[in-house]
Amino acid sequence: MKLNTYLLRQVILIFCLAMVSATWAQDIKKTVINKKTVINKKVDGTRKTPPQVNASRETVKKKNNSQTGKEKKPQTAKNKSGKSNTNSKKGKIKPATQVNGHYVALKTNIPFDVLAVQNLALEVQVHKHITIDLPVMWSISDIEREHAIRGIAFQPEGRWWLKEAGTGHFFGLHTHVAWFNAKWEDNRYQTRKRPLTGAGISYGYKLPLSAHWGAEFNIGAGYANMKYDTFYNIENGAWLETHIRHYWGITRAGLSLVYRF
């Protein structure tokens, strides 16, 4: 009886140990499984963000783009070839010294001004290479008692510019009409009935000084016909004679200051 009770006790103890080990093993498996599920959830959480988080991130990105977009410079438009318009228009920009539009200029002949002959000329472009120059000269005062030039003269000229109007060299064809009353030394000369008339050709050069200012030199030669009376150079001087003269020589000369509009 004693042996059987001992064996029964041993069997019950082994059974209890087995049950304890089994329950312990199950607890370990459950903890391992729980750890794996937690890790998997964390990984999935990093991969897939909740919609609220995505919405907040998108709003932040939009704000950043709106702030940085103000600082960015606008891109230049591209043409069909893929090149920007700035590159396609390269070379067409005019220099600062060049003025847009047709050539229109106002001028004065400085040597004539020094001789007390006031003058003014207007030049207008009518073609890429052609301009019309319209000068007028007048004098209403005496230089001194024995020397004076009074009168008015017109000398229109058509010009052909080699490059373009108002630039560089040009050739001109001019005509002239004048009325004069000049005193020189002992005689006074005055046109009679009809004015001085004639025509000639000229050459000149325009030198630009700035966008609007320039200097112009020209010289011309041709023919002039005049009929005038000669008087003694005193007050109410007597008539001496009448002359008809055919003149060949310099008919135009000047060093003008030019202002281009």
Side-chain angles (χ1 to χ4, degrees), residues 85-96 98 100:
N85 290 332
T86 54
N87 292 329
S88 63
K89 293 181 180 179
K90 186 177 180 181
K92 295 183 180 179
I93 301 174
K94 295 183 179 182
Q98 191 171 358
N100 295 327

Side-chain angles (χ1 to χ4, degrees), residues 4-18:
N4 292 330
T5 54
Y6 179 75
L7 290 173
L8 182 60
R9 291 176 180 175
Q10 292 292 326
V11 171
I12 293 170
L13 180 62
I14 292 169
F15 180 76
C16 290
L17 291 172

